[in-house]
Amino acid sequence: METEKLVKKAQKGDGEAFITLVKQYENVLYKVASRLLNNDEDAADAIQESILLAYKNINKLKNPDYFNSWICKILINKCNAILNKNSKIILVENVIAEKHHKNEYSKIELEEALNTLNNDYKTAILLYYIVGLNTKEISELVKEPEGTIKSRISRAKAILREGYFSDEGEILYGRK
């Protein structure tokens, strides 16, 4: 069933329609939360809180076509709140870093590279490549000019390319 119909049903109180909507986007929500928070428990909390908030406020969604952007924005706000809350906590695993074999841990290195980006760059990259939003949609979602979003994506890619990847796309070690 198409998103617009499901949103309209959910706005009329149809809980099953809302569940169907959320199930359509659960993988996207998980990817965004897990990449922003780097902690499955925090990601699960953020997703759960976002879904509850979205359910309570579904009537505030004016354009049903923007459900994906709307629920992602709620999730990003929840993730940012958790990041702010956790910013003063230092995990032992972050202090004691183990050296890993290059081929076995390239995914971990990529995650670490993404984590070095500031939140604006990281959010733009995640929304563009993971959620699949275009720059105009991201612009509307984060309430920033589209040119700013394009710059953030471009700069983030340049930072990642320069600091972590060779021209062949291989992860480089020891460079920051």
Side-chain angles (χ1 to χ4, degrees):
M1 187 179 281
E2 88 181 44
T3 301
E4 185 177 348
K5 289 179 184 176
L6 287 170
V7 170
K8 287 181 180 179
K9 281 185 170 185
Q11 288 175 328
K12 291 178 183 174
D14 186 340
E16 291 297 320
F18 183 80
I19 291 169
T20 303
L21 272 170
V22 169
K23 284 187 178 190
Q24 288 177 357
Y25 297 106
E26 68 186 345
N27 287 336
V28 170
L29 296 174
Y30 175 75
K31 285 179 183 178
V32 169
S34 65
R35 291 217 166 87
L36 282 173
L37 298 172
N38 296 315
N39 178 313
D40 284 339
E41 291 154 2
D42 285 345
D45 289 345
I47 292 168
Q48 183 178 14
E49 290 175 25
S50 298
I51 291 170
L52 287 171
L53 191 58
Y55 182 73
K56 289 178 186 176
N57 294 299
I58 189 75
N59 289 322
K60 293 181 182 179
L61 178 61
K62 293 181 176 121
N63 187 339
D65 290 332
Y66 293 124
F67 179 80
N68 181 27
S69 299
W70 178 72
I71 198 165
C72 278
K73 180 165 183 141
I74 292 170
L75 178 62
I76 289 167
N77 289 337
K78 288 292 175 188
C79 289
N80 285 335
I82 290 171
L83 285 171
N84 289 336
K85 179 181 147 194
N86 293 344
S87 67
K88 296 176 184 168
I89 299 172
I90 299 173
L91 299 175
V92 172
E93 64 191 63
N94 292 341
V95 175
I96 304 171
E98 294 182 27
K99 292 189 177 184
H100 303 292
H101 187 268
K102 183 177 175 180
N103 293 332
E104 294 174 353
Y105 296 100
S106 61
K107 183 177 178 185
I108 293 170
E109 294 293 326
L110 176 59
E111 292 290 330
E112 288 177 4
L114 287 172
N115 289 337
T116 65
L117 297 173
N118 74 32
N119 278 344
D120 290 338
Y121 289 176
K122 187 175 181 179
T123 299
I125 287 282
L126 290 175
L127 291 175
Y128 189 76
Y129 287 105
I130 304 301
V131 178
L133 299 179
N134 62 40
T135 53
K136 184 178 182 193
E137 292 169 326
I138 297 169
S139 168
E140 292 169 0
L141 184 66
V142 298
K143 293 182 175 49
E144 295 279 352
E146 187 175 2
T148 301
I149 300 306
K150 288 178 181 178
S151 289
R152 287 178 182 168
I153 292 169
S154 176
R155 288 180 184 154
K157 289 186 339 188
I159 290 168
L160 291 172
R161 227 182 340 262
E162 181 176 314
Y164 293 92
F165 300 97
S166 69
D167 291 337
E168 295 81 33
E170 293 180 16
I171 294 174
L172 300 175
Y173 293 85
R175 289 183 59 191
K176 291 193 178 184

